[in-house]
């Protein structure tokens, strides 16, 4: 090819172009701001900040470690199921879809598994409120013979021999950290505190999107918050629970005395923690014993004013709902389903 004037200028232009390109890459590398990464410690609009305890603050590395452990067979003695997620299923609002969950040794839980969704905001956990913070069950589950059935040495050995975990524990807890039961519980608790759901059609409606609810759901919402049904007296606030204990007369004979086992107070017999109603559409079966299979059955019980039983709450009275009103109430409960949360890949098993 002949070297002419046109080629000469063209080469110069090309050179300048590459120099500019190189410089802009360099700038990017030196950028002071790290790339934007997801912050799972942020609460949805209208929710208070997620309360992380000072002795176990949020970090992305801890979240990722906790998430991996939540889904890992390594925590189960015979590795026959995927640890926490075996009974706490994302598609079912991080609870189980059977009345009694079955862990290691195939021993069924005596009560229906409660949801982990929004549990960061609960000041008491379990149907009888005996739990105080998430770290407790996260730690105890490792060793209970009917949950994971491990022992400390076995757990430590398994995690230390793993190709990934020693590095992940260092990333989450510092260079000197070695895998231990306590750190497992801390990491899992961090992941669990981030399981916050607040993007249902109802939430969108509250934030101003008047089209987020159907007409039936709007009618159901009015009923739910009315003096007549009193649903929102117990299912109150952004969590749809007052975090108190009540009896709703779901049966005449209670085999489980609930809160009574914690306080020993006869007035607490047959009382259970008001469950949150968020994502209740996907969390059947219902109640502390999982005896009601459908929302229709639950509404029917409120409509009849419950069965006569010891300590039934004075708020539970016959409602005389029409068929349409029952349907509206159920449709309103379905407006509390946050599909984004239930299908969010960030909370699913890591690849
Ligand atoms: C006196 C307080 C109180 C009132 C009023 C009340 N609830 Fe409940 N609700 C509870 C308690 C406590 C439970 C759990 C009972 C149990 O497990 O035995 C519950 C359970 C439920 C459940 C099942 C949730 C689950 O995950 O198992 C639904 C659905 C429900 N209530 C909806 C309603 C609706 C709708 C109304 C109004 C018609 C209402 N509640 C009124 C306290 C109340």
């Amino acid at each position: 090819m002949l070297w002419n004037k046109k080629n000469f200028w063209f080469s110069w232009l090309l050179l300048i172009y590459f120099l500019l390109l190189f410089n802009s890459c360099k700038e990017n590398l030196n950028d002071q701001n790290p790339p934007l990464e997801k912050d799972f410690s942020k609460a949805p609009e209208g929710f208070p900040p997620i309360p992380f305890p000072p002795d176990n603050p949020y970090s992305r590395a801890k979240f990722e470690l906790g998430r991996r452990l939540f889904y890992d067979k390594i925590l189960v003695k015979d590795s026959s199921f995927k640890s926490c997620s075996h009974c706490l299923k994302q598609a079912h609002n991080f609870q189980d879809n059977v009345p009694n969950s079955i862990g290691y040794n195939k021993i069924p839980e005596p009560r229906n598994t409660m949801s982990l969704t929004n549990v960061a905001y609960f000041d008491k956990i379990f149907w009888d409120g005996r739990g105080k913070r998430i770290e407790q069950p996260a730690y105890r589950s490792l060793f209970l013979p009917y949950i994971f059935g491990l022992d400390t040495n076995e757990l430590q050995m398994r995690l230390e021999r793993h190709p990934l975990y020693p590095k992940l524990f260092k990333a989450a807890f510092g260079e000197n950290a070695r895998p231990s039961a306590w750190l497992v519980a801390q990491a899992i608790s961090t992941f669990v505190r981030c399981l916050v759901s607040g993007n249902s059609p109802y939430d969108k409606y509250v934030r101003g999107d008047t089209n987020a609810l159907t007409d039936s759901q709007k009618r159901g919402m009015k009923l739910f918050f009315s003096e007549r049904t009193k649903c929102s007296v117990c299912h109150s606030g952004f969590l749809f629970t007052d975090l108190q204990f009540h009896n709703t007369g779901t049966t005449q004979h209670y085999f489980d005395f609930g809160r009574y086992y914690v306080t020993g107070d006869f007035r607490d017999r047959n009382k259970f923690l008001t469950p949150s109603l968020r994502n209740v559409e996907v969390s059947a079966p219902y109640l502390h014993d999982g005896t009601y299979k459908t929302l229709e059955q639950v509404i029917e019980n409120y409509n009849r004013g419950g069965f006569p039983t010891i300590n039934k709450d004075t708020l539970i009275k016959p409602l005389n709902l029409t068929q349409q009103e029952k349907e509206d109430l159920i449709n309103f409960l379905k407006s509390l389903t946050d599909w984004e949360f239930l299908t969010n890949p960030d909370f699913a098993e890591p690849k």
Side-chain angles (χ1 to χ4, degrees):
M1 211 210 309
L2 266 176
W3 183 252
N4 59 26
K5 219 171 168 184
K6 209 166 133 204
N7 267 352
F8 173 79
W9 284 114
F10 182 69
S11 321
W12 267 108
L13 276 175
L14 214 64
L15 187 69
I16 292 169
Y17 173 75
F18 276 116
L19 276 174
L20 283 174
L21 197 75
F22 175 71
N23 233 18
S24 78
C25 289
K26 223 170 67 183
E27 249 168 49
N28 269 350
L29 285 177
N30 293 339
D31 205 338
Q32 289 301 302
N33 302 320
L36 275 180
E37 65 163 32
K38 283 185 188 168
D39 179 0
F40 296 107
S41 68
K42 277 224 167 82
E45 198 186 320
F47 274 38
I50 304 177
F52 289 93
D55 61 357
N56 190 16
Y58 169 83
S59 79
R60 176 70 192 265
K62 232 191 278 180
F63 170 94
E64 290 300 350
L65 171 61
R67 174 184 174 199
R68 191 167 284 275
L69 291 163
F70 189 90
Y71 287 98
D72 201 332
K73 292 177 175 179
I74 201 168
L75 298 185
V76 181
K77 187 162 184 184
D78 62 357
S79 297
S80 60
F81 56 83
K82 289 180 186 170
S83 65
C84 317
S85 65
H86 182 61
C87 305
L88 300 156
K89 302 166 178 153
Q90 183 181 15
H92 296 287
N93 193 29
F94 286 98
Q95 64 195 85
D96 216 342
N97 54 342
V98 292
N100 306 93
S101 300
I102 296 180
Y104 183 68
N105 266 337
K106 307 258 178 300
I107 302 172
E109 281 286 324
R111 289 187 184 139
N112 189 13
T113 299
M114 272 195 122
S115 173
L116 292 183
T117 304
N118 296 337
V119 75
Y121 296 103
F122 283 49
D123 61 358
K124 40 184 100 68
I125 46 182
F126 299 124
W127 285 105
D128 55 18
R130 70 186 184 280
K132 286 203 173 50
R133 51 181 295 182
I134 306 162
E135 279 80 358
Q136 276 177 323
Y139 182 84
R140 278 166 53 82
S141 301
L142 301 169
F143 308 117
L144 286 174
Y146 52 90
I147 303 194
F148 297 158
L150 271 183
D151 63 68
T152 332
N153 292 340
E154 175 77 20
L155 173 75
Q156 217 146 350
M157 203 175 65
R158 283 185 186 188
L159 292 170
E160 271 176 4
R161 283 188 187 158
H162 191 271
L164 257 172
Y165 278 120
K167 266 184 258 159
L168 296 179
F169 275 85
K170 283 188 198 310
F173 295 103
E175 263 318 296
N176 297 327
R178 287 177 57 198
S180 72
W182 179 236
L183 296 185
V184 167
Q186 289 212 320
I188 290 179
S189 303
T190 302
F191 171 67
V192 167
R193 286 198 174 93
C194 297
L195 300 176
V196 172
S197 167
N199 266 326
S200 64
Y202 165 78
D203 296 297
K204 289 175 187 158
Y205 179 85
V206 170
R207 286 176 206 139
D209 178 359
T210 47
N211 294 324
L213 300 187
T214 65
D215 287 343
S216 168
Q217 289 174 330
K218 286 178 192 165
R219 289 195 300 270
M221 179 171 67
K222 265 202 183 138
L223 268 174
F224 186 89
F225 289 103
S226 69
E227 262 300 302
R228 180 173 160 210
T229 65
K230 299 198 170 57
C231 308
S232 63
V233 176
C234 301
H235 298 284
S236 59
F238 73 106
L239 296 174
F240 288 83
T241 164
D242 56 359
L243 294 170
Q244 296 301 317
F245 304 88
H246 305 276
N247 177 282
T248 53
T250 56
T251 173
Q252 213 163 348
H253 304 290
Y254 281 75
F255 299 106
D256 182 340
F257 293 175
R259 183 68 177 160
Y260 171 82
Y261 295 131
V262 178
T263 63
D265 186 337
F266 189 75
R267 286 167 299 181
D268 285 332
R269 194 173 140 178
N270 303 353
K271 290 189 182 175
F272 297 89
L273 187 70
T274 308
S276 168
L277 298 181
R278 288 187 171 275
N279 304 310
V280 75
E281 177 182 4
V282 300
S283 67
Y286 302 110
L287 311 180
H288 67 279
D289 52 5
T291 47
Y292 285 16
K293 307 259 175 312
T294 62
L295 287 174
E296 282 76 6
Q297 281 175 294
V298 179
I299 297 299
E300 210 44 70
N301 184 61
Y302 286 117
N303 194 39
R304 80 166 76 88
F307 293 105
T309 189
I310 294 164
N311 285 334
K312 191 179 81 175
D313 204 285
T314 50
L315 293 177
I316 307 295
K317 293 208 175 95
L319 299 175
N320 300 315
L321 299 168
T322 64
Q323 191 52 36
Q324 183 64 53
E325 286 173 327
K326 289 180 202 166
E327 277 170 30
D328 292 344
L329 259 181
I330 291 175
N331 286 334
F332 169 66
L333 293 178
K334 290 183 180 172
S335 80
L336 301 176
T337 310
D338 177 355
W339 291 108
E340 248 168 75
F341 170 78
L342 297 170
T343 57
N344 186 346
D346 292 327
F347 299 141
E349 184 173 359
K351 296 274 176 323

